[in-house]
Amino acid sequence: MRLFDEIVSRLGDEEVAFAGAKAVVFAGRCAYFENVKGISAFAPDAVTLRVKGGEVRVEGRDLRVAQYGGGDLFLRGDVRRVEFCGGEA
C-alpha cells in the first residue's frame, strides 16, 4: 500500500488531487505528494514540484525534503499553502 493511501485511510477524508497528482497537507507541519515528476524550484520558503499537467507550488517556512523517490515526496516544515498551477510539465 502506498503511503498516500495509508494516510487517507487513517484520516477518513477524501483524496485531494491535482490533475493526477495527490497531496495530503498537515498545515504547519508537513505535506506528502504522490506522482511527482521532479522539483522545479526549491527554497526554504517555497517549493515548486513538477507533476502531470502542471506544477504544484508549496509555500511556507523552513521547508525541507524529508523523503523523495518513486514519484512520492514528503516535505517537512511549516506548510502554509499548496497551489496547483496548470500547464504541461
Side-chain angles (χ1 to χ4, degrees):
M1 177 182 282
R2 297 192 71 141
L3 179 59
F4 182 83
D5 296 329
E6 189 174 325
I7 291 170
V8 170
S9 69
R10 287 183 185 182
L11 291 176
D13 294 339
E14 289 186 20
E15 299 177 29
V16 176
F18 305 106
K22 297 177 183 176
V24 173
V25 178
F26 297 92
R29 303 207 53 209
C30 60
Y32 171 78
F33 302 89
E34 194 173 281
N35 299 324
V36 175
K37 290 182 166 186
I39 301 172
S40 297
F42 183 85
D45 62 348
V47 177
T48 304
L49 307 174
R50 287 186 301 113
V51 298
K52 180 181 178 182
E55 294 183 324
V56 174
R57 180 171 167 82
V58 183
E59 296 176 359
R61 288 185 286 162
D62 196 27
L63 301 176
R64 57 202 179 280
V65 175
Q67 185 175 347
Y68 178 45
D72 297 340
L73 186 137
F74 181 54
L75 193 64
R76 287 199 176 272
D78 186 3
V79 177
R80 296 293 176 120
R81 181 178 182 173
V82 177
E83 177 183 22
F84 176 72
C85 306
E88 204 55 40

